[in-house]
Amino acid sequence: MIFSLISGLLKQGVNKGLILEEDWIYVRNQVLHLLQLESFPEHIDPKEDSIPNLLDQMIDYAVNENIIADVLDEKDILTADIMNCFLSKPSEIKAKFQTYYTESPKAATDYFYELSKNSNYIQMNRINKNISFKVNTEYGDMDITINLSKPEKDPEQIKREKENQSNINYPKCLLCIENEGYGGRIGHPARSNHRIVPIELQDETWYLQYSPYVYYNEHCILLSETHRDMKINLDTFRRLLTFTEKFPHYFMGSNADLPIVGGSILSHDHYQGGNYEFTMPNAEDDFIFQLDAFPTVKTAIIKWPMSVIRLTGERKEELIKAAEFIREKWVYYSDEDAKIQAHTEDTPHNTITPIARKRQDQFELNLVLRNNRTDSTHPMGIFHPHEDVHHIKKENIGLIEVMGLAVLPPRLIDELNEIKDFIVGNTASVTSYHQEWANELKQKYTNLSDTNELDEVMKQELGNKFVKVLKDAGVFKNQADFSRFINHMNS
């Protein structure tokens, strides 16, 4: 059985362009060594299956034969090591990326994205477990994803992580360039099959990779060569727009650089992008205003639950300067009526989540205004999901959510089924933190019994909750509040 799996993987490696026929014996011997096998029989029929499925079956074999323990990290390390046998050295992949780039930027990213999937660095079997759908709202279609892709840690994995705690500081974080080819260890994921490609941005080398758990098409990460804290400034806007100039089929954006409103990794300067049409960048203008200092830049507030200024123009440098002008004005802006306070003593509260695109000859920057202040009523953040939506989502609202994609916890699968049973009278109660919402839904949908209709209702109500999440995170709740800031910028 194991030999059939190995032959199947080799066949897929050739079919997917990972290796050539001439590499077959060499790669096979490398895989045999990893699986502690000393020979290979003749006339083996290859197992016909996908690369991820073949790998899963090979890992099951390794566990059953006591080659590795039945522990998540050990299984992931062996999986990555096996696929590393099929991958070229980083220098060869980088050279191939550049060759494709001379054909077109899209050809280069198509090559690299397919490589990242075929090498199983992008965990497609796990990602396919996610439940994703769209919900129509007053702001357009919102994307909803219930995240089931990241496997839960079993007790043995948790035990080993506690026992193997150490002061190892290599790589410094999950985004450092030193992760390329790193074998992994308990508590740090395997990266043997990980490759990155250099992108030159404003006299600095940055690196492009894809997220191992993509939330949308070609979900990529652009990371600094240097391990340094995230910072939103003039250079950020210049890098984002320069990247979209080099890769006009991709958007590129940044999480904010402050806790609460920022992303999960603020210790390493990085951006996120991809080839996907989110709803927010395509939202209509709510109203257009004049930014007196930059008359050639089209400036608008868009129709979106968060507070977004959109800059559009043909001249990249003008947009960069306009964005930095707005950021500097916003960083020091306070408005008691809007509950906005720029600083508490030396602690800053105002920052920006920027998203860049290039549309034909027009550059575009969407600047999402953020504030991370807390108070006794909202200890997790005044402009953060409020307590009435915490039963759905209470985590930070980062770049992905800002653009209109809700990434929701896996617990909701069972909990939403429980609420559906409650609505139709099959159960008398639900999980306590959902009870108030469930009561509202039961009163609203009194004659609902069709299963398909009930499923659609729950999707719609989940989308409505996500809109409320975004509204909570918006710093300006009405046009009058926004107008005061515009007047401040033009004063």
Side-chain angles (χ1 to χ4, degrees), residues 341-378:
Q341 187 173 313
H343 291 81
T344 300
E345 297 178 350
D346 294 330
T347 302
H349 296 306
N350 290 348
T351 187
I352 282 176
T353 297
I355 301 110
R357 266 198 185 277
K358 191 170 191 291
R359 302 180 189 269
Q360 296 177 338
D361 61 343
Q362 296 281 312
F363 290 97
E364 179 182 288
L365 267 174
N366 289 284
L367 306 178
V368 189
L369 306 182
R370 312 298 305 274
N371 177 287
N372 77 343
R373 191 164 70 92
T374 62
D375 62 12
S376 57
T377 306
H378 302 293

Side-chain angles (χ1 to χ4, degrees), residues 134-154:
K134 290 181 180 290
V135 176
N136 185 257
T137 73
E138 62 181 302
Y139 299 98
D141 290 341
M142 295 291 182
D143 289 295
I144 309 293
T145 291
I146 298 178
N147 181 19
L148 302 175
S149 58
K150 292 187 179 180
E152 293 186 25
K153 295 179 180 180
D154 55 68

Side-chain angles (χ1 to χ4, degrees), residues 254-272:
S254 175
N255 275 306
D257 53 356
L258 294 179
I260 296 177
V261 296
S264 57
I265 301 178
L266 298 181
S267 61
H268 196 114
D269 210 0
H270 72 284
Y271 312 130
Q272 293 184 76

Side-chain angles (χ1 to χ4, degrees), residues 182-358:
Y182 185 66
R185 60 180 186 267
I186 296 297
H188 190 102
R191 291 291 184 259
S192 299
N193 58 338
H194 175 43
R195 299 293 186 267
I196 56 180
V197 293
I199 308 291
E200 297 302 318
L201 295 175
Q202 304 302 310
D203 300 323
E204 282 189 345
T205 301
W206 285 59
Y207 288 87
L208 182 70
Q209 68 173 67
Y210 290 99
S211 170
Y213 294 100
V214 292
Y215 288 124
Y216 51 85
N217 187 49
E218 297 177 54
H219 177 186
C220 65
I221 299 170
L222 189 64
L223 53 98
S224 170
E225 185 175 40
T226 306
H227 181 77
R228 66 188 184 206
D229 290 347
M230 285 185 65
K231 189 67 179 172
I232 305 297
N233 53 29
L234 180 78
D235 290 333
T236 305
F237 306 131
R238 180 167 283 118
R239 292 187 200 107
L240 295 178
L241 286 174
T242 300
F243 180 87
T244 63
E245 191 174 30
K246 289 175 178 283
F247 298 90
H249 59 299
Y250 273 19
F251 78 88
M252 188 57 66
S254 175
N255 275 306
D257 53 356
L258 294 179
I260 296 177
V261 296
S264 57
I265 301 178
L266 298 181
S267 61
H268 196 114
D269 210 0
H270 72 284
Y271 312 130
Q272 293 184 76
N275 187 9
Y276 187 71
E277 288 289 335
F278 284 95
T279 301
M280 188 274 275
N282 292 315
E284 297 177 354
D285 293 344
D286 193 14
F287 64 92
I288 297 172
F289 68 94
Q290 178 71 49
L291 195 60
D292 292 345
F294 298 91
T296 64
V297 176
K298 180 190 171 185
T299 317
I301 306 304
I302 67 171
K303 185 181 179 183
W304 195 247
M306 296 186 72
S307 306
V308 186
I309 299 174
R310 177 177 293 157
L311 307 179
T312 311
E314 293 183 9
R315 298 163 62 186
K316 184 176 70 173
E317 281 302 315
E318 281 294 291
L319 252 68
I320 293 166
K321 292 174 183 176
E324 178 62 7
F325 173 84
I326 293 170
R327 188 196 68 82
E328 288 181 340
K329 291 288 186 180
W330 172 242
V331 163
Y332 297 102
Y333 182 73
S334 294
D335 183 342
E336 187 175 339
D337 291 339
K339 298 182 179 179
I340 294 167
Q341 187 173 313
H343 291 81
T344 300
E345 297 178 350
D346 294 330
T347 302
H349 296 306
N350 290 348
T351 187
I352 282 176
T353 297
I355 301 110
R357 266 198 185 277
K358 191 170 191 291

Side-chain angles (χ1 to χ4, degrees), residues 170-189:
Y170 181 90
K172 292 186 177 70
C173 76
L174 295 176
L175 294 178
C176 284
I177 60 174
E178 287 80 9
N179 283 281
E180 186 177 35
Y182 185 66
R185 60 180 186 267
I186 296 297
H188 190 102

Side-chain angles (χ1 to χ4, degrees), residues 21-281:
E21 289 279 0
E22 299 95 301
D23 302 318
W24 188 289
I25 294 175
Y26 168 82
V27 174
R28 186 176 70 189
N29 284 336
Q30 297 298 303
V31 175
L32 289 177
H33 176 70
L34 291 171
L35 295 174
Q36 299 179 13
L37 297 166
E38 296 180 343
S39 64
F40 197 90
E42 295 182 5
H43 311 302
I44 294 295
D45 292 327
K47 176 74 178 292
E48 299 291 341
D49 212 333
S50 67
I51 288 175
N53 287 346
L54 291 166
L55 285 169
D56 286 345
Q57 293 170 72
M58 291 169 73
I59 296 307
D60 288 342
Y61 166 85
V63 170
N64 292 334
E65 295 295 318
N66 296 316
I67 297 167
I68 58 171
D70 189 7
V71 176
L72 176 64
D73 277 352
E74 286 202 27
K75 292 189 285 188
D76 281 354
I77 287 170
L78 181 56
T79 301
D81 284 345
I82 290 172
M83 288 315 300
N84 188 43
C85 299
F86 290 79
L87 286 175
S88 302
K89 290 185 175 66
S91 58
E92 295 167 351
I93 289 172
K94 291 166 187 174
K96 200 166 184 179
F97 182 88
Q98 291 302 323
T99 299
Y100 275 108
Y101 187 84
T102 59
E103 178 185 329
S104 76
K106 188 176 185 304
T109 56
D110 284 350
Y111 154 72
F112 192 41
Y113 189 54
E114 288 304 308
L115 178 75
S116 300
K117 288 191 294 183
N118 292 333
S119 67
N120 204 54
Y121 177 73
I122 297 178
Q123 305 267 352
M124 292 308 299
N125 267 15
R126 293 177 183 176
I127 292 161
N128 289 335
K129 295 177 183 178
N130 290 343
I131 295 175
S132 300
F133 52 89
K134 290 181 180 290
V135 176
N136 185 257
T137 73
E138 62 181 302
Y139 299 98
D141 290 341
M142 295 291 182
D143 289 295
I144 309 293
T145 291
I146 298 178
N147 181 19
L148 302 175
S149 58
K150 292 187 179 180
E152 293 186 25
K153 295 179 180 180
D154 55 68
E156 180 62 24
Q157 169 77 19
I158 295 169
K159 175 185 173 185
R160 288 192 177 205
E161 287 187 13
K162 289 180 179 178
E163 291 174 349
N164 287 275
Q165 285 182 349
S166 66
N167 295 321
I168 297 175
N169 194 30
Y170 181 90
K172 292 186 177 70
C173 76
L174 295 176
L175 294 178
C176 284
I177 60 174
E178 287 80 9
N179 283 281
E180 186 177 35
Y182 185 66
R185 60 180 186 267
I186 296 297
H188 190 102
R191 291 291 184 259
S192 299
N193 58 338
H194 175 43
R195 299 293 186 267
I196 56 180
V197 293
I199 308 291
E200 297 302 318
L201 295 175
Q202 304 302 310
D203 300 323
E204 282 189 345
T205 301
W206 285 59
Y207 288 87
L208 182 70
Q209 68 173 67
Y210 290 99
S211 170
Y213 294 100
V214 292
Y215 288 124
Y216 51 85
N217 187 49
E218 297 177 54
H219 177 186
C220 65
I221 299 170
L222 189 64
L223 53 98
S224 170
E225 185 175 40
T226 306
H227 181 77
R228 66 188 184 206
D229 290 347
M230 285 185 65
K231 189 67 179 172
I232 305 297
N233 53 29
L234 180 78
D235 290 333
T236 305
F237 306 131
R238 180 167 283 118
R239 292 187 200 107
L240 295 178
L241 286 174
T242 300
F243 180 87
T244 63
E245 191 174 30
K246 289 175 178 283
F247 298 90
H249 59 299
Y250 273 19
F251 78 88
M252 188 57 66
S254 175
N255 275 306
D257 53 356
L258 294 179
I260 296 177
V261 296
S264 57
I265 301 178
L266 298 181
S267 61
H268 196 114
D269 210 0
H270 72 284
Y271 312 130
Q272 293 184 76
N275 187 9
Y276 187 71
E277 288 289 335
F278 284 95
T279 301
M280 188 274 275

